[in-house]
Amino acid sequence: MSDDMFSSLRLVRRELGEERPRLALAVALASGSVLLDMVPLWAVYQLTQSVASGTAEPALFWPLAALTAVTIPFGYFLFGLATRQSHTAAFNMIYDLRMRVARHIARLPMGYFSTRRSGQAKQTIVTEPERLELLVAHAMPEGTSAFFTWLIVTGWLFYVDWRMALAAVIFAPVSFVLMGFAIKASMSETAAYQSAQGTMNGAIVEHLTGMPAVKIFNPDGIDRSETAAAIDHLAQMQSSMARAFVPLGGTFYAMILANITLILIVGVWLLHAEAITLSVFLFFVIVGANYSVPLMRLFDLFHHFAQISLSASALQEILSKDTQPDTGRRVPLKGHDIAFEDVRFAYGDGPTVLEGISFTAREGEITALVGPSGAGKSTLAALIPRLFDVTGGRIALGGQDLRDIGLDQLMEAVAFVFQDPFLFSATVAENIRYGSPDATNAEVEAAARAAQAHEFIENLPARYATEIGPGSQLLSGGERQRIALARAILKDAPIVVLDEATAFTDPDSEYEIQQALGQLTRGKTVIVVAHRLHTIAAADQILLIDRGHIAERGTHEVLIAKAGRYARLWEDHMATRNLGLRGGDDGGR
């Protein structure tokens, strides 16, 4: 058994926890069923001996028949109990493991997710733990019982006649050596296969998510898409692995089932030489021919060990990744001012995105971040709830470095409304209550009213109990945004970060959302990322971000008076608001 296989067993042993006694019981029950499986063979052996020796009598048949009639169903009953116990242990372990992986992933830095597709994350949480079910529910109880069967039968064969026993077992070690090479040949690309499977999952999820664009721009182009290439690549890998397995694997099957041939040849020769009795010969024909059955069961389990081991390795790899540093402390805060002090930031080993950012967003004031696309505004906002950690400098909240504040305390202090809010496939009330699970129905409705969402929610099919469904297709962009605002209002955090909260809303929705924002931000520390400059004209402080630096700062009036970059952006913004779809000039008609 390779190190990877031991790695699987170590992971299972660690994750089983309270399920270990249940699994031990499953192994014991499966072993008991194996012992009962031996009884019919022993009965046949006794009858064969009596017939061969001429002492067979009806009085011997009936007790053996009764014993067999009892042990066969009872053996199946024990095996059924073993299977039930092992599956219960497996499913409980997989549930706990999935929850642990999900919690661990939730604590990883956001940089981890930026390099992975959602399909790959799904494979890590759903598919990889699922493969361990085979190890716990089947390999351990069934493999243990199969191994015990093999040992018992082997010992029994050698006890009866060592020469015939050699004829029965000689092919087994050779066969398993061949099988080892066959598995090694076919599974040499298992790691690449797992990676290709993750790529295919990610491509399919992306293809389905982008179906509107596919239908409009490339409805017949699936054969040339990345999704088709990923599916084809995985199919080619499967075919290649199968071709690598067949020559040696087929030889294994032939040899492991060919022992009856050698038993007949050696048995006839020894019988002719009067070295064995007819009863011994018949015993080996009956029992020795079934010698390969437990070996086949073992093979069926070992054949899956490579993928199980890779799944265990993938799970251990993600569980070993360092989570975002968290002191876990609750520290005293001197208010809720946020101070950026010479902050620098880069994504991984990439170029610097923010450089020398210093400013203070004061409690009870609105700080607006404006500037061209790609300037670093959203990145700066994402540093406040520590979606990413600064590369240099520091950010202080209430005089405390964010990295010294426990993540739980920090998350309690910050509400974040994203540009494209995510709503879960749950009811409207559950989406608003997310993050404030103990909120009453009255509090949920009050938050919805404050977010200007109550009226349209009342018109939904089941009002607050309406299931939003995947993709939130039941709701418009403005409605989704107002539910997200209701969620933030209900949280009532002292710090509010708004990342383009009105970017994709129509004028009516924008007006209602601005009213909701006024309710949400009153008396709080507010940081607003905005492209629509008219929405932040009343901000207490406006920072113009350009190429990762603060190019200008001040109030709207001060910046307009400077006649600098902000003033030009304002002029362009107002001109755009007044510009018609035709460009404003009909003279070319």
Side-chain angles (χ1 to χ4, degrees), residues 364-426:
E365 295 184 355
I366 297 176
T367 298
L369 308 177
V370 302
S373 297
K377 306 182 299 297
S378 293
T379 298
L380 191 154
L383 297 177
I384 296 171
R386 287 189 65 195
L387 298 183
F388 301 94
D389 277 331
V390 299
T391 305
R394 78 167 193 153
I395 303 174
L397 167 59
Q400 299 280 359
D401 192 313
L402 290 184
R403 292 164 292 191
D404 294 332
I405 303 172
L407 285 174
D408 287 341
Q409 182 183 7
L410 179 60
M411 292 304 106
E412 291 171 4
V414 179
F416 203 112
V417 181
F418 295 91
Q419 175 178 332
D420 186 13
F422 181 82
L423 300 183
F424 296 91
S425 295

Side-chain angles (χ1 to χ4, degrees), residues 196-220:
Q197 194 173 42
T199 300
M200 184 193 71
N201 288 337
I204 290 175
V205 170
E206 192 173 86
H207 183 80
L208 295 176
T209 303
M211 190 54 66
V214 171
K215 292 177 74 67
I216 293 172
F217 293 103
N218 195 22
D220 300 320

Side-chain angles (χ1 to χ4, degrees), residues 272-403:
H272 181 72
E274 298 184 353
I276 60 173
T277 64
L278 179 61
S279 62
V280 170
F281 175 72
L282 293 175
F283 168 78
F284 274 91
V285 170
I286 295 170
V287 177
N290 293 312
Y291 178 77
S292 59
V293 173
L295 298 180
M296 296 297 295
R297 187 182 298 177
L298 281 174
F299 158 70
D300 288 338
L301 295 172
F302 279 128
H303 185 66
H304 296 284
F305 251 111
Q307 287 192 342
I308 294 172
S309 298
L310 280 173
S311 295
S313 297
L315 291 167
Q316 288 178 321
E317 187 262 343
I318 194 170
L319 289 173
S320 66
K321 284 192 175 297
D322 292 333
T323 57
Q324 192 170 21
D326 181 11
T327 64
R329 295 163 48 201
R330 303 190 74 87
V331 299
L333 302 177
K334 299 176 181 178
H336 293 97
D337 288 356
I338 299 175
F340 280 66
E341 301 172 4
D342 193 28
V343 167
R344 298 181 298 282
F345 177 75
Y347 290 101
D349 298 327
T352 299
V353 178
L354 298 173
E355 180 72 42
I357 300 293
S358 296
F359 70 92
T360 299
R362 302 197 180 281
E363 187 172 1
E365 295 184 355
I366 297 176
T367 298
L369 308 177
V370 302
S373 297
K377 306 182 299 297
S378 293
T379 298
L380 191 154
L383 297 177
I384 296 171
R386 287 189 65 195
L387 298 183
F388 301 94
D389 277 331
V390 299
T391 305
R394 78 167 193 153
I395 303 174
L397 167 59
Q400 299 280 359
D401 192 313
L402 290 184
R403 292 164 292 191

Side-chain angles (χ1 to χ4, degrees), residues 31 65 107-108 131 156 181 188-189 238 276 279 292 313 372 399 469 524 535 546 574:
S31 301
R107 292 287 184 173
L108 291 177
R131 291 195 175 106
W156 194 3
F181 284 117
S188 60
E189 299 184 59
Q238 290 173 324
I276 60 173
S279 62
S292 59
S313 297
K524 303 179 185 298
T535 63
D546 188 23
M574 296 307 294

